[in-house]
Amino acid sequence: MSMVKESIDVDVPVRRAYNQWTQFEEFPTFMEGVEEVRQLDDQHCHWKTKVSGVRREFDTEIVDQLPDERISWRTVGGDTQQKGVVTFQPLDEAHTRVSLAMDFEPEGMVEQAGDKTGLLDLRIRGDLRRFKGYIEERGQESGGWRGRIKPGDSDTGATPSGM
């Protein structure tokens, strides 16, 4: 597996940044290559992506979610293998550091070449920049889910390793 780590500081309070991130169906607004995210329930989403001409569909499961601190996920079915965590660190009352760490398994020549050239790192960095613009320009979050999901609450109870 390959690892990507990126962070960005956003000019909004931690609660606002976290709440907006929980609006998974809005990810296509600021995530390049994400065509659709459909939230199936509190823990599961179905994704449709197209990156470098390669279409993928997969399901993710949230394995750990603590409001204003972190959301950890992993794939549980489909064309992609990944797991990751996004964390929210308050810098002060009006600023938050959003950090994303993701393990993924590049499949096929296109994805392997993109991994070796750092394309995914650039894509994630761009997604975080677009998230920053999205949340700062809106002035408020479009919604938020404040529920708690503990690692034992997931279907198999496993957490992403190294996260």
Side-chain angles (χ1 to χ4, degrees), residues 21-140:
W21 198 275
T22 66
Q23 303 305 291
F24 306 116
E25 292 186 353
E26 292 185 29
F27 281 8
T29 306
F30 57 86
M31 288 187 175
E32 185 179 352
V34 176
E35 294 182 330
E36 178 185 9
V37 179
R38 191 166 21 98
Q39 189 157 2
L40 306 174
D41 58 34
D42 289 345
Q43 284 185 262
H44 299 92
C45 292
H46 181 77
W47 294 66
K48 292 182 182 181
T49 63
K50 183 179 178 185
V51 178
S52 300
V54 177
R55 288 190 183 278
R56 300 262 190 240
E57 284 196 48
F58 56 94
D59 295 317
T60 56
E61 173 184 56
I62 296 170
V63 293
D64 187 15
Q65 185 165 340
L66 181 60
D68 299 337
E69 287 191 25
R70 69 181 169 275
I71 302 170
S72 299
W73 76 92
R74 65 172 170 205
T75 53
V76 290
D79 300 332
T80 300
Q81 280 191 291
Q82 63 170 251
K83 59 187 172 185
V85 61
V86 60
T87 59
F88 304 85
Q89 175 188 1
L91 301 174
D92 60 33
E93 289 184 16
H95 301 90
T96 304
R97 178 161 297 139
V98 179
S99 299
L100 183 111
M102 185 171 75
D103 281 324
F104 68 99
E105 188 65 49
E107 297 179 26
M109 289 179 54
V110 171
E111 289 181 12
Q112 289 173 3
D115 179 34
K116 289 179 181 165
T117 61
L119 182 64
L120 188 59
D121 296 79
L122 291 173
R123 182 167 295 241
I124 298 295
R125 192 175 306 137
D127 290 346
L128 288 175
R129 278 195 313 265
R130 285 184 292 278
F131 174 74
K132 175 182 173 67
Y134 183 74
I135 188 62
E136 289 177 2
E137 290 170 15
R138 288 184 61 88
Q140 64 182 27

